[in-house]
Amino acid sequence: MQIPSDPSESQATATWGPSVQWIGVQWQGGFYALPLSSIASVFKASPSNAHAAQSDLDVEVHDGAPVFMRSFSQCFDLGAQPVPSQVQEEFRWALIVNVPGSAPIGCRVHQVLGPFWDELKSTSVQHDGRDWLLIQARGAMHA
């Protein structure tokens, strides 16, 4: 199925729920879908900082401002889902979480896909032949 670029086009069938724009994220072997509105920025992280995610203090500079990097599970509510085992993967992408009134906080992930449109109808969305578990950004966080 081709995903329409205009969200109003996806409302053609009355039984469909509202269409939401998602971004797919791969982290520790898991596949997650985040509402695009929960992300302030996505960018390819510099290779020199790839191992910084292992240290106590991890900072990325984006648009001239420092961004305090946390683990994915500290930035997003994984709910009852168990945190996947520590899969050895390279964190090539940085996500900056959209938390108004908070210091810029982000996390590193292995891969990013999207954005893409799908309905909000269950605990996951289908895209690219895969189920992506829906998750939300945690509330206000402090560095």
Side-chain angles (χ1 to χ4, degrees), residues 25 34 39 41-42 72 76 93-97 105-107 109 112:
V25 174
L34 318 167
I39 303 297
S41 249
V42 175
F72 185 76
F76 296 96
W93 292 88
L95 302 177
I96 309 306
V97 182
I105 294 179
C107 61
V109 297
V112 175

Side-chain angles (χ1 to χ4, degrees), residues 29-76:
F31 295 85
Y32 303 95
L34 318 167
L36 188 60
S37 62
S38 69
I39 303 297
S41 249
V42 175
F43 59 93
K44 194 112 181 190
S46 57
S48 61
N49 287 339
H51 298 290
Q54 309 291 323
S55 71
D56 291 336
L57 179 62
D58 184 12
V59 177
E60 183 80 42
V61 176
H62 181 62
D63 284 342
V67 177
F68 296 97
M69 304 302 281
R70 300 277 176 95
S71 76
F72 185 76
S73 60
Q74 289 177 314
C75 291
F76 296 96

Side-chain angles (χ1 to χ4, degrees), residues 1 3 31 113 116 118 125-132:
M1 177 177 141
I3 298 173
F31 295 85
L113 177 77
F116 56 91
D118 199 0
V125 294
Q126 276 278 325
H127 183 70
D128 203 27
R130 178 174 306 282
D131 283 331
W132 300 79

